[in-house]
Amino acid sequence: MAVTNNTPISEILKSKTSLEDEPKKKSREDWRKAKELEEARKAGTAPAAVDEEGRDINPHIPQYISAAPWYFGSQGPTLKHQRIQPESVKKPTPIDLWYKRGVNNEVKATKYRKGACENCGAITHKRKDCMERPRKIGAKFTNTLIAPDEFVQPVIDADYDGKRDRWAGYDPSQHRLIVDQYHKIEEAKRQLRADKLNAGEGQGSELDDEEDEDKYVDEVDMPGTKVDSKQRITVRNLRIREDTAKYLRNLDPNSAYYDPKTRSMRDNPHEEDIVKPEEEQDYAGENFVRFTGDTRKHAKAQLFAWEAYEKGVDVHLLAEPTKLELLQKDYEQKKDEFKHRVQQNILQEYGGEEHLQAPPKQLLLAQTEDYVEYSRYGKVIKGQEKSIARSKYEEDVFPNNHTSVWGSWWHNGAWGFKCCHSLIKGSYCTGEAGKAANVSVPLEVDKNPFKKVDSPPQKKASSSEDDSSSSSSSSSSSSSSESESESEKKKKEKPLKKKNKKKLRKTKLREKKKKDKELSTEEKIKAAMKKQKEDEEEAERLLKMDERKRPYNSMFDVKKPTDEEMEAYFRKRRRDEDPMLAYS
C-alpha cells in the first residue's frame, strides 16, 4: 500500500524550509518502490501498514477510503477519518433527568422583582402567560402574595425511543404505597387465619391457598367464560361480529350496568319502556333470558318435588322426571276441579251467577285502560290501536262552508260540489238554492266560470200583451238601428282600407281572443287534452329518430301553460296510488 505524505498546509507554511522552496515531488524510483510494497502487502509477503494506534490496516482497502484528506492533519497511514468523530457523537439524556412538576416552594420571594409577572410576581413568566386569576391590583404594586417561581425545566433532547418511553419520568417511590398496602392485607389475612386456628375453627384451613382457590372454581363460571380447574384454562366465548354490542342497546349512563370484562348486561336496558312487553323487546337483559322458556317450568317442577317430598311422596326430579310430571299434571287437574266446585257451591248458596255472565267492562262503560299515545297529526305513536290506512292527500276537507268534498258531483263533463251543484272550486256553498239556480240557468253559461257577462240576460215576457207592445216599439227601433248600423259600417270600411298589415293582424288576434273567450271551459280543456296527446305522439316520434337526423332544437318550448293545459295534464296524469287503477 502506497504511503502518501498528507502534511497539512498549515504545517507546511510553518516550516522554514517550505518558505524558501516548494516541497519536492517524489521521484520515479520512490513511486516504483511504493507500488512494489503495496503489491507485496496485498500478496501477504510484506507486513501490513500500522496506524497510530497500532492496529493493522487492510491492504485491500481502496485508496480513496484509506487516504485521509489534507485538512485532517494525519502524519501517517490511518483510518481514523473513516470512524465516528467524538465531537459528532450525541450524548444521550440521563435516565433520571425529566421535567420537574409543580413550583419551587423552597425559594419564595417577598418583594416584587424587576422583570417578573405583574399579576402574580413570579419571575419565570410574563403577565400574558400567567395562569393565575387576574388580580384587581397586581403584585407589582402591592408587593404581597408573591407567587413561587416555576422550575426552570432542563433541555431534554430525547431520541426516537426516548420520546416513546412509557416509563419516562416515573417515580419508583410511588409504587411503594401499593407494596405497603399489599403487605398490610397479607398481614391481616395471616392474623385472621391464626385467630381461627386458636379458636378451633380452622381445621380445614391447613390446605394450601392454591387448593382453596381451585376448590370451587368449576362452579363460578361467568357469562361468556368457561373455567376448567384441571387444565387451568379459561375459554371465552366471543360474540359474533354481526351482533349489536350490548353497550349500544341504551347509551344512557344511568341505565343497566354493562361489565366490559365479561361482556355481560344482566339488567334490562329498556326497563322504562312500558309499551312493549319483555317478550317482544330485542334485548331484555341476561337475567330475563335465564328465566324464560322451560326455566320457569323446571323451577316449578323442582318446587313441586320438594313439596311432595314433605307430604310423604318420594319422588325426584332427575331420577324420575316422568313420574313427577304425571303427578304434577294430576295435581293441577284436581286443583282446578276443586276450585270450580267451590265456586259452584258459593253461587248455589248465595246466587249472583247472572253477574258473572255480564259483558266486559269495556263494553259496559265504553272505556278502556289501554294506553294509546297520538301525535299532533293523529298518528298512533305508542299503544295497541291500529292506525287507519290513509292516502297522502287531504281527506274530509270541506272548504268555504261546503258539506261535501270537491269532486263529489259530476255533470256534463265537469266536477263540482254535491251539496250545491257548484262547478267552481273556490265558490262558497249555496245549498239547495244553488241547486235550483244551477237547474234554471243554462249549462253553457254555468260551465264557463271565467266568462265575463257584459249585460244581464233579458227576462222572458210574462204575457202576450207585453209581446205585442214590445213588437211595435221594437219595429220602430229596429228600423232606426239598421240605418245607424249601415252608416257605421260605411264609416268603418273606409279607414280599414287605409290600415296597414300590422293593424289587420292585431284585429285578427283580437277576434281570435273573442272567439276563445266564447268557448266553454270544458271545450278548452278537451282541446288542450287533444293537443297534449299530439305533443306526446310527436315526442315519441322524435325520440325514436336517430340523433343525427333529429331536427335542431325540436324539444324546446318556452310557452307558459295555461290553466286549461294544466287541468288537461292533471286529468291525463297516471296516479300509481289510485286503488282503482287496475280496474280502469
Side-chain angles (χ1 to χ4, degrees):
M1 182 177 180
V3 179
T4 57
N5 187 12
N6 296 324
T7 305
I9 296 177
S10 58
E11 294 185 6
I12 295 174
L13 295 176
K14 288 179 182 179
S15 61
K16 297 181 181 179
T17 56
S18 61
L19 293 174
E20 298 174 359
D21 298 324
E22 291 181 4
K24 295 181 180 179
K25 296 181 180 180
K26 291 183 179 179
S27 62
R28 190 172 183 82
E29 186 67 22
D30 295 338
W31 182 84
R32 185 179 59 81
K33 288 181 179 179
K35 192 69 174 175
E36 289 177 356
L37 181 59
E38 182 181 359
E39 295 294 335
R41 285 174 175 170
K42 289 182 178 180
T45 56
V50 181
D51 59 1
E52 64 275 6
E53 296 180 359
R55 291 179 293 187
D56 295 341
I57 298 175
N58 190 350
H60 299 283
I61 294 176
Q63 187 179 4
Y64 69 88
I65 294 177
S66 61
W70 59 269
Y71 53 82
F72 190 73
S74 62
Q75 300 295 331
T78 181
L79 290 177
K80 194 174 182 180
H81 59 281
Q82 294 291 348
R83 298 185 177 92
I84 299 174
Q85 304 303 317
E87 59 271 9
S88 64
V89 176
K90 189 176 180 180
K91 295 181 179 179
T93 305
I95 193 171
D96 56 344
L97 184 63
W98 196 247
Y99 302 107
K100 297 180 180 179
R101 298 182 177 88
V103 293
N104 190 3
N105 293 318
E106 296 178 358
V107 180
K108 191 174 182 181
T110 57
K111 293 184 179 180
Y112 179 79
R113 293 159 291 181
K114 187 178 180 181
C117 176
E118 299 177 0
N119 184 44
C120 65
I123 203 169
T124 50
H125 62 268
K126 298 297 180 182
R127 183 174 183 175
K128 65 178 181 178
D129 301 326
C130 186
M131 301 298 292
E132 284 196 6
R133 179 181 59 85
R135 302 181 184 180
K136 188 175 182 180
I137 302 175
K140 180 179 180 181
F141 305 101
T142 59
N143 274 331
T144 57
L145 299 176
I146 304 297
D149 301 337
E150 292 91 351
F151 286 109
V152 179
Q153 301 294 349
V155 179
I156 299 177
D157 191 7
D159 54 357
Y160 182 86
D161 294 329
K163 292 177 182 178
R164 291 156 180 81
D165 186 8
R166 62 180 297 189
W167 296 103
Y170 174 73
D171 188 6
S173 61
Q174 297 176 359
H175 188 63
R176 176 55 55 186
L177 299 174
I178 301 174
V179 174
D180 294 343
Q181 184 179 4
Y182 176 76
H183 287 321
K184 289 179 181 178
I185 294 172
E186 289 295 322
E187 185 65 27
K189 287 182 178 180
R190 196 177 298 109
Q191 184 67 30
L192 183 63
R193 195 178 296 112
D195 294 342
K196 287 184 178 180
L197 287 173
N198 295 333
E201 298 176 359
Q203 297 178 359
S205 60
E206 298 177 357
L207 299 174
D208 297 336
D209 294 340
E210 186 176 356
E211 294 179 1
D212 292 341
E213 292 176 359
D214 295 341
K215 185 176 181 181
Y216 303 104
V217 70
D218 291 333
E219 301 178 4
V220 295
D221 291 345
M222 298 296 290
T225 60
K226 177 63 179 175
V227 182
D228 190 354
S229 60
K230 297 178 181 178
Q231 298 183 0
R232 294 182 177 274
I233 60 172
T234 302
V235 180
R236 185 174 296 276
N237 299 325
L238 299 177
R239 67 176 179 85
I240 303 174
R241 297 294 100 183
E242 290 81 3
D243 294 345
T244 304
K246 295 175 184 176
Y247 57 84
L248 296 178
R249 297 288 183 179
N250 192 348
L251 299 180
D252 185 8
N254 297 324
S255 65
Y257 173 71
Y258 172 74
D259 186 11
K261 188 173 183 179
T262 58
R263 297 197 182 106
S264 60
M265 184 182 288
R266 296 172 179 82
D267 296 334
N268 184 8
H270 306 288
E271 191 173 0
E272 297 180 358
D273 193 354
I274 61 175
V275 178
K276 281 187 177 182
E278 291 186 350
E279 292 81 1
E280 297 180 6
Q281 293 179 3
D282 296 336
Y283 182 77
E286 293 178 354
N287 288 341
F288 170 74
V289 177
R290 289 168 58 190
F291 297 107
T292 54
D294 292 338
T295 308
R296 296 183 180 180
K297 185 178 177 181
H298 182 272
K300 289 180 180 179
Q302 182 67 61
L303 184 62
F304 177 77
W306 290 339
E307 292 177 352
Y309 183 76
E310 291 178 359
K311 301 296 183 182
V313 181
D314 190 8
V315 64
H316 196 273
L317 175 63
L318 300 179
E320 299 170 321
T322 308
K323 180 180 177 182
L324 179 65
E325 187 175 357
L326 293 174
L327 286 174
Q328 188 177 8
K329 190 180 295 184
D330 189 20
Y331 171 76
E332 295 292 339
Q333 185 177 359
K334 289 182 179 180
K335 183 178 179 181
D336 294 340
E337 291 177 357
F338 177 75
K339 283 184 178 181
H340 182 68
R341 195 183 313 116
V342 170
Q343 186 179 7
Q344 292 296 328
N345 293 335
I346 292 173
L347 292 174
Q348 291 176 5
E349 182 72 24
Y350 300 101
E353 188 175 0
E354 65 275 4
H355 298 289
L356 298 177
Q357 298 176 357
K361 293 182 179 180
Q362 290 86 351
L363 299 178
L364 286 174
L365 305 176
Q367 294 179 356
T368 178
E369 294 183 359
D370 295 338
Y371 178 79
V372 182
E373 185 175 342
Y374 298 90
S375 66
R376 60 185 297 184
Y377 303 106
K379 184 179 179 181
V380 178
I381 300 175
K382 294 180 180 179
Q384 299 178 356
E385 182 177 336
K386 294 183 179 180
S387 58
I388 302 172
R390 296 181 180 272
S391 65
K392 64 180 181 180
Y393 301 100
E394 292 182 345
E395 296 183 9
D396 302 333
V397 177
F398 307 106
N400 297 335
N401 206 22
H402 287 281
T403 58
S404 61
V405 296
W406 167 258
S408 59
W409 188 60
W410 171 267
H411 182 69
N412 199 14
W415 292 103
F417 292 98
K418 187 178 181 181
C419 54
C420 59
H421 291 185
S422 176
L423 299 174
I424 302 173
K425 189 174 183 179
S427 64
Y428 283 87
C429 183
T430 55
E432 297 297 331
K435 290 182 180 180
N438 290 328
V439 170
S440 61
V441 177
L443 294 174
E444 289 75 18
V445 178
D446 192 35
K447 282 183 182 179
N448 188 7
F450 305 102
K451 183 176 180 180
K452 293 182 180 179
V453 181
D454 297 335
S455 61
Q458 296 180 357
K459 296 182 179 179
K460 294 182 179 180
S462 61
S463 64
S464 59
E465 294 178 357
D466 297 336
D467 295 338
S468 61
S469 61
S470 61
S471 62
S472 60
S473 61
S474 61
S475 61
S476 60
S477 61
S478 61
S479 60
S480 60
S481 61
E482 286 177 0
S483 60
E484 288 177 1
S485 61
E486 289 177 359
S487 61
E488 287 177 0
K489 286 181 180 180
K490 290 178 182 179
K491 289 179 182 179
K492 289 180 180 178
E493 286 176 358
K494 291 179 181 179
L496 281 172
K497 293 178 181 179
K498 296 179 182 179
K499 286 181 180 179
N500 53 13
K501 294 181 179 179
K502 290 184 178 179
K503 292 185 177 181
L504 290 173
R505 290 176 183 173
K506 289 182 179 179
T507 55
K508 289 181 179 179
L509 290 173
R510 289 174 185 171
E511 291 175 359
K512 188 177 181 181
K513 287 181 180 179
K514 288 181 181 179
K515 290 181 180 180
D516 292 341
K517 286 183 179 179
E518 291 175 358
L519 292 174
S520 62
T521 307
E522 189 63 29
E523 292 176 356
K524 289 182 181 180
I525 294 173
K526 289 180 179 178
M529 292 174 67
K530 185 178 179 181
K531 185 176 181 302
Q532 183 181 357
K533 185 177 180 181
E534 293 175 356
D535 293 342
E536 290 177 356
E537 292 176 354
E538 180 66 15
E540 291 179 0
R541 186 185 67 83
L542 292 173
L543 290 173
K544 290 179 181 179
M545 292 176 61
D546 190 5
E547 293 183 355
R548 292 173 291 184
K549 296 181 181 180
R550 188 181 301 167
Y552 174 72
N553 213 6
S554 59
M555 305 296 289
F556 187 74
D557 189 10
V558 295
K559 187 173 67 173
K560 182 180 178 181
T562 61
D563 296 338
E564 291 78 12
E565 291 177 349
M566 291 299 296
E567 181 65 23
Y569 165 72
F570 287 128
R571 289 189 184 184
K572 293 181 69 65
R573 184 181 61 175
R574 180 182 177 88
R575 293 177 175 84
D576 295 331
E577 69 276 7
D578 188 1
M580 301 299 293
L581 181 63
Y583 302 99
S584 59

